Each structure stands twice: as structure tokens, then as C-alpha cells.
């Protein structure tokens, strides 16, 4: 009962945020596609948690030390993955911007969010994947109203890019997290199957709201994140192999789901971004010198930077900013390979630049494809 009330409070907050969002206007040049929508967790979050009752928010320095507007909710020294994915303009977080900013896209990502509704429940409020999809439904209905009807909106939304990265917290703040019992109920194989089955339903819901060009990010090597090496202890590989093995189970199942969705959903263009492979490149060859420690001061056994502490000066030589998130320098290199693959294995069947160029007659929604926007 308490959990249900919390969910409804967040839904009400979502509606209020949209209704009160006619305050600011973002400017920029024409994008490659009409709009970009993002779903995810702290790797993509660009401010959504700032309005939620949670401690999981990057609302203080040194977060944002290199960002023009300071601490905005990004778990980075500057830009995060969502900012550098290959498009020129910042995509506003949900509930901000003026009355038409949502026409260019929205970032729904929320730190602590997961595929499962129970994920991150001990962290406070967060937008789970289900709630992010609910928020997108609000925006999609406003786009339909703006354009004069569901059919026109479906055609418009079918031209947009959708970037989805989710699943880290389902492992770090659920299966392997303290206070959760998932690991007592499921084997790693069973848990990966549960996640992927749930994720498949969620991706189908996104399709039914008009999405056609959808880039789904696999999971990176969470066992190589500094804080988790410290918490679990490194193996011979210098990482926590049980964590990396678990996400690989998830990634392999997710790839099969992507192929299934493309085969079963008319004109759907799902693509898989092989984050694990991209994250496995040789950091030294990329110019990074510190790979096992965050740039900012992270208290023992924790992930976020200690508030108001001085970060390192050689930020471009660090892979990680805090205990789990990339520096801007690393995010830029990662995003470059996701946007324009360096090797065929980086992304398939498309990289993001190719996905953006898929002819509209191949990717557009239609009144008979999926569910219509109400």
C-alpha cells in the first residue's frame, strides 16, 4: 500500500511538472532528426532527480565543475553520455523547458531507476522504466495535441531517435545490493531472464507510443567500476568477474530480444549498442592513465563524490569521475563509438548515425502499426 502511494505521488508530480513547464526556451540549430528521447539511469540523468525526494542526485560540487551551469544533476564533472551521444543540442530533462521544447525531445532518465519497479526502492523516489514510459505517454499526447492528431503525431514520432539504457541498478541496487532479496530468489541466469522479459514488454510499449528508431544500450562492465572493486574485491582480471558475468548474461539475452522485436513489429528499427565491447577497449591507448579510481574524493564503500571536495586536476586522464560514472572525457570517446561504430561489433544492425538516416518510409509509424496515441 505504501509503495503504491509513493508511485502515485511520483505520477502526480510528473503531471504537475509538465503543466508547469512553460517557463524557459532552449535554442539551437536544426538536429539530424526532429527529436531525441532518452530513457535510462544515472548514466543519462541530466537533472530529473533534482525534483525528487531522494539523496541520489548530483546536486552539489564537485559535480558539474566543468559544466557551464554547474551542478545540474549530471553524475559527471561536465557532460554525460546523454549530452554527447552525437547531436548538437542538450535535450531538456522531463518537466523543464517551454511549452514546445518537448517537440525536440525529452530526457526521462533517473538516477537509481531500473527495469524492475522494486529496483532502487531503498534509495528514495526515482523514475523507474515504467514511470519513464508513463512520462513519455504524457509528452506523446501533448505532441499529438500540438500537431493536431494522433496519426500526424505517430508519423512525427516515427522519425525521432530513442536512446534507451537501463539495467545497471537492477544489479547494483537490487540483485547485488544490500536490503534486497532478489539474489535469494533467483540465480543470475533466472534474474537476467526476468529482466529481459520485463524489458521486452517495456520496449514494446515504447513502440506502441510511436517509436520506430530505437537504440538500446547493453550494459558495461559494472565489475570494473572503482567502488564495486572496493566493495567486492577484484579477481585476477582486476575486476569483479561475477558482476561482469551477470551483465553478460543479460546482454546476450537482450540481443536476442532486439532481433525478435525487429522481426515481429512492423517497420521497427531497433538496434543494439554493444556497451560491454566499447567499454572493453584499451584505456591506455586512449590516453587514460587512471582506470581504477575516481577523480573526485569518494568515501570508502560509497559511490558519489564527497560534497564540496576538490577533484583531481588531470580529469582527462581519468576514466571514472566518481565511484561508478565516467568523466566527460571518457563519455565522449564512448559516445563517439556508439554514434559511429569503429568496428561492426560496436553496434548492430545500425549505429546511431545510421539509424538517424533510415528513410522515413521505412521507419514512420502509421495508423495500422501498433497502438495509436490517444
Amino acid at each position: 500500500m505504501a509503495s503504491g502511494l509513493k508511485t502515485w505521488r511520483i505520477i502526480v508530480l510528473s503531471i504537475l511538472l509538465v503543466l508547469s513547464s512553460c517557463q524557459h526556451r532552449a535554442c539551437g540549430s536544426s538536429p539530424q532528426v526532429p527529436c531525441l528521447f532518452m530513457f535510462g539511469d544515472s548514466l543519462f540523468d541530466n537533472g530529473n532527480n533534482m525534483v525528487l525526494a531522494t539523496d541520489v542526485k548530483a546536486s552539489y560540487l564537485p559535480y558539474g565543475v566543468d559544466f557551464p551551469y554547474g551542478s545540474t544533476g549530471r553524475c559527471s564533472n561536465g557532460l554525460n553520455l546523454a549530452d554527447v551521444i552525437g547531436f548538437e543540442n542538450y535535450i531538456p530533462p522531463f518537466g523543464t523547458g517551454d511549452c514546445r521544447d518537448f517537440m525536440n525531445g525529452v530526457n526521462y532518465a533517473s538516477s537509481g531507476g531500473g527495469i524492475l519497479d522494486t529496483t532502487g526502492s531503498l534509495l528514495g523516489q526515482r523514475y523507474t522504466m515504467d514511470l519513464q514510459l508513463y512520462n513519455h505517454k504524457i509528452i506523446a499526447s501533448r505532441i499529438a495535441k500540438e500537431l493536431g492528431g494522433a496519426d500526424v503525431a505517430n508519423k512525427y514520432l516515427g522519425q525521432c531517435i530513442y536512446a534507451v539504457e537501463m539495467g545497471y541498478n537492477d544489479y547494483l541496487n537490487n540483485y547485488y545490493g544490500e536490503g534486497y532479496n532478489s539474489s535469494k530468489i533467483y540465480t543470475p541466469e533466472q534474474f537476467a531472464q526476468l529482466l529481459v522479459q520485463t524489458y521486452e514488454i517495456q520496449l514494446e510499449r515504447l513502440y506502441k507510443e510511436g517509436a520506430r528508431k530505437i537504440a538500446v544500450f547493453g550494459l558495461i562492465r559494472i565489475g570494473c567500476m572503482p567502488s564495486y572493486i572496493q566493495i567486492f574485491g577484484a579477481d585476477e582480471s582486476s575486476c569483479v568477474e561475477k558482476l561482469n558475468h551477470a551483465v553478460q548474461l543479460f546482454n546476450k539475452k537482450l540481443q536476442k530480444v532486439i532481433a525478435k522485436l525487429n522481426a515481429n513489429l512492423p517497420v521497427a528499427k531497433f538496434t543494439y549498442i554493444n556497451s560491454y565491447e566499447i567499454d572493453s577497449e584499451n584505456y591506455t591507448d586512449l590516453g587514460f592513465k587512471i582506470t581504477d579510481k575516481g577523480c573526485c574524493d569518494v568515501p570508502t564503500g560509497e559511490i558519489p563524490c564527497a560534497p564540496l571536495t576538490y577533484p583531481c586536476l588531470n580529469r582527462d586522464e581519468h576514466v571514472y569521475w566518481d565511484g561508478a560514472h565516467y568523466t566527460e572525457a571518457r563519455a565522449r570517446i564512448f559516445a563517439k563509438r556508439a554514434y559511429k561504430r569503429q568496428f561492426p561489433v560496436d553496434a548492430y544492425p545500425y549505429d546511431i548515425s545510421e539509424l538517424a538516416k533510415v528513410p522515413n518510409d521505412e521507419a514512420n509509424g502509421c495508423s495500422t502499426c501498433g497502438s495509436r496515441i490517444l
Side-chain angles (χ1 to χ4, degrees):
M1 183 69 175
S3 177
L5 288 174
K6 288 181 180 178
T7 298
W8 277 108
R9 288 192 189 105
I10 296 177
I11 289 175
V12 171
L13 175 60
S14 298
I15 297 171
L16 291 175
L17 280 170
V18 173
L19 292 176
S20 63
S21 64
C22 307
Q23 301 179 47
H24 309 288
R25 177 173 295 276
C27 302
S29 57
S30 299
Q32 300 173 57
V33 292
C35 42
L36 172 62
F37 294 99
M38 296 185 164
F39 303 78
D41 46 42
S42 57
L43 296 186
F44 272 18
D45 188 354
N46 65 347
N48 286 303
N49 273 33
M50 297 286 272
V51 298
L52 299 181
T54 176
D55 291 331
V56 186
K57 61 179 75 174
S59 58
Y60 56 86
L61 290 172
Y63 287 105
V65 65
D66 298 317
F67 192 74
Y69 308 109
S71 303
T72 56
R74 293 166 170 83
C75 294
S76 172
N77 57 302
L79 303 179
N80 66 9
L81 276 174
D83 296 314
V84 294
I85 208 68
F87 298 86
E88 294 180 2
N89 302 326
Y90 299 142
I91 302 300
F94 176 73
T96 67
D98 77 5
C99 289
R100 297 194 79 256
D101 277 348
F102 58 83
M103 295 298 295
N104 298 322
V106 174
N107 185 330
Y108 304 101
S110 174
S111 299
I115 295 170
L116 303 179
D117 287 343
T118 54
T119 291
S121 59
L122 301 180
L123 301 175
Q125 290 183 334
R126 71 268 176 246
Y127 292 125
T128 63
M129 185 61 182
D130 280 338
L131 284 173
Q132 289 180 40
L133 288 169
Y134 180 88
N135 291 342
H136 180 62
K137 189 176 183 68
I138 295 173
I139 295 298
S141 66
R142 294 191 67 188
I143 289 175
K145 183 177 181 180
E146 184 76 23
L147 295 179
D151 288 341
V152 179
N154 267 324
K155 188 172 183 179
Y156 180 82
L157 291 168
Q159 302 174 60
C160 305
I161 292 287
Y162 299 76
V164 187
E165 64 83 20
M166 193 67 91
Y168 298 101
N169 288 307
D170 293 287
Y171 285 100
L172 301 177
N173 288 299
N174 191 333
Y175 194 77
Y176 290 108
E178 292 186 11
Y180 301 91
N181 64 354
S182 297
S183 61
K184 299 176 183 177
I185 301 173
Y186 305 102
T187 66
E189 178 79 26
Q190 292 170 336
F191 189 69
Q193 186 64 31
L194 172 66
L195 290 180
V196 169
Q197 287 177 341
T198 306
Y199 209 10
E200 180 179 359
I201 294 170
Q202 292 167 337
L203 292 173
E204 287 178 343
R205 285 173 57 194
L206 184 58
Y207 171 86
K208 290 177 180 179
E209 288 297 334
R212 295 295 180 267
K213 301 181 179 184
I214 306 169
V216 183
F217 287 67
L219 302 184
I220 63 173
R221 301 175 303 160
I222 62 175
C224 298
M225 295 175 174
S227 286
Y228 294 102
I229 292 176
Q230 186 180 75
I231 293 171
F232 291 97
D235 302 315
E236 292 180 0
S237 65
S238 299
C239 295
V240 185
E241 281 309 308
K242 73 173 183 179
L243 298 183
N244 287 343
H245 175 69
V247 300
Q248 276 292 62
L249 291 174
F250 172 86
N251 286 339
K252 290 176 181 178
K253 293 178 184 295
L254 180 58
Q255 291 171 53
K256 293 179 181 179
V257 165
I258 298 301
K260 179 182 175 182
L261 292 171
N262 279 331
N264 294 343
L265 300 179
V267 300
K269 299 296 179 183
F270 287 85
T271 195
Y272 178 74
I273 306 300
N274 194 347
S275 302
Y276 196 98
E277 179 67 24
I278 297 174
D279 187 52
S280 299
E281 57 190 335
N282 190 308
Y283 289 143
T284 303
D285 291 347
L286 298 174
F288 295 106
K289 296 181 179 179
I290 299 91
T291 64
D292 59 353
K293 182 181 179 181
C295 172
C296 70
D297 181 21
V298 178
T300 302
E302 297 187 17
I303 294 173
C305 303
L308 305 178
T309 53
Y310 290 98
C312 69
L313 297 178
N314 57 335
R315 296 190 269 279
D316 288 349
E317 296 179 352
H318 278 253
V319 171
Y320 293 97
W321 165 243
D322 57 14
H325 303 97
Y326 288 152
T327 57
E328 177 181 328
R330 175 58 183 138
R332 283 186 178 279
I333 295 174
F334 183 102
K336 186 176 181 180
R337 276 182 68 176
Y339 181 74
K340 188 71 174 178
R341 53 187 165 188
Q342 183 176 345
F343 305 104
V345 73
D346 290 349
Y348 40 87
Y350 309 99
D351 60 31
I352 295 176
S353 71
E354 293 167 337
L355 190 63
K357 296 174 184 176
V358 172
N360 291 342
D361 58 353
E362 292 184 31
N364 276 354
C366 60
S367 59
T368 58
C369 300
S371 299
R372 298 176 63 181
I373 300 171
L374 301 177

